Amino acid sequence: MVRHVVMFKFEGDDRERLEVALKFKEALEALPSQIEVLQSIEVGLNMNPAEAWDLVLTATVASFPDVATYSAHPAHVDACKIIAGHKKDRACVDYAVD
């Protein structure tokens, strides 16, 4: 099993960043019913103003090739269009779970 963890920073003021984060969260949470390899996804919004990241997602798939399948899936690509023009930074870690 593989965990795919991604953090995002968005551009804009607090209201704009929250608005895009909420839309993106909703789209991401719909993905398990649309992408067969996606076993689960958890999406959280940062509520700690002392921290720099706005949103984190943790997705679970069976294998590392499934991460690529998930990433290239049209439903995922469409979800990512929500943050186009708003994404300031992205950090990602993929790790195996025993």
Side-chain angles (χ1 to χ4, degrees):
M1 189 168 20
V2 175
R3 293 269 162 68
H4 172 70
V5 181
V6 187
M7 295 187 305
F8 293 91
K9 290 181 191 177
F10 300 123
E11 301 278 359
D13 63 27
D14 289 347
R15 182 193 55 77
E16 292 167 330
R17 291 191 344 267
L18 178 59
E19 185 177 299
V20 74
L22 287 169
K23 288 179 186 175
F24 191 41
K25 180 180 189 297
E26 182 179 354
L28 291 170
E29 290 175 337
L31 294 179
S33 66
Q34 301 172 56
I35 303 174
E36 188 174 311
V37 299
L38 185 56
Q39 297 174 356
S40 67
I41 193 165
E42 181 178 353
V43 184
L45 303 180
N46 181 28
M47 295 298 150
N48 182 350
E51 297 297 334
W53 298 92
D54 294 304
L55 181 142
V56 63
L57 74 87
T58 303
T60 303
V61 295
S63 67
F64 284 104
D66 287 341
V67 175
T69 300
Y70 153 75
S71 295
H73 191 282
H76 178 261
V77 172
D78 284 346
C80 290
K81 289 177 183 176
I82 293 168
I83 62 171
H86 300 281
K87 184 173 65 172
K88 182 176 184 178
D89 205 354
R90 176 188 180 273
C92 178
V93 174
D94 295 324
Y95 64 93
V97 178
D98 294 329

